[in-house]
Amino acid sequence: MSQANTLSRPAAADWRTLAPLAVLAVSVLSLGSAFFAQYGFGLQPCVLCIYQRWPYAATIAIGLLASLFLRRSPLLPWALALAGLLFAVGAGIAAFHVGVEHHWWQGTAECTGTAGYGATTVEALRAQLKGTPIVRCDEVQWSLFGISMAGYNFLASGVYAIGSWTAAWRLRTGAGARRRRTAAPAPARQDR
């Protein structure tokens, strides 16, 4: 195997270190981006936006635990596969949100702004309505190139899921191991 080929493929030990760190990094960056959009730019999340954050919180925990405790464990591929599953759940929630934004289907009851449910007096209803900003799930607050934040989250979560599953498969099957050629000793040269 050439040296360039060896450098381009990480060894199994590298996969065991890099894969959980990658899960942790993309989860922190994605969740951090959502919070930055909310608190830095004032884009208030709807209930489906909040739901899309939960898989990232879970994959942060998995990435952190896997980085600290599971690097040498046979459970690491399973942790990465679970992270991939959570990313896929996040992609599913994001896809549902995109459908709501495009009016392909109805959102949940919370998407329509049902504030005031459970108020027993007019004063209690007024207090709830004043304190509850209603953010509808079917209204796009921000988009770039015609793709909303939910659309970008769908794409990112899908890529993260595939990456996690690929890393889990490589570690499970040993495909992440560096293959070394052992050179046979050269035959002794005989001079006549």
Side-chain angles (χ1 to χ4, degrees), residues 35-175:
F35 283 125
F36 186 71
Q38 179 178 353
Y39 296 109
F41 293 110
L43 298 174
Q44 294 304 313
C46 69
V47 69
L48 290 178
C49 295
I50 300 295
Y51 292 162
Q52 290 173 73
R53 294 177 182 186
W54 284 104
Y56 287 120
T59 54
I60 286 171
I62 289 172
L64 191 60
L65 290 172
S67 296
L68 295 176
F69 302 113
L70 298 178
R71 282 190 301 166
R72 299 191 194 285
S73 171
L75 296 176
L76 179 60
W78 296 105
L80 293 172
L82 178 60
L85 178 64
L86 289 166
F87 285 133
V89 166
I93 297 168
F96 179 76
H97 192 182
V98 169
V100 171
E101 289 174 341
H102 288 283
H103 304 283
W104 295 336
W105 45 74
Q106 292 284 63
T108 64
E110 295 90 3
C111 288
T112 58
T114 56
Y117 182 74
T120 56
T121 65
V122 174
E123 291 80 26
L125 176 62
R126 282 187 188 143
Q128 280 185 343
L129 290 175
K130 285 182 181 179
T132 306
I134 298 173
V135 179
R136 295 181 55 96
C137 299
D138 62 350
E139 295 174 359
V140 176
Q141 292 188 47
W142 179 89
S143 68
L144 179 64
F145 307 119
I147 302 173
S148 68
M149 288 179 73
Y152 284 110
N153 187 35
F154 168 72
L155 295 172
S157 294
V159 168
Y160 301 158
I162 292 169
S164 297
W165 288 328
T166 301
W169 176 80
R170 290 182 68 91
L171 287 172
R172 186 85 177 125
T173 62

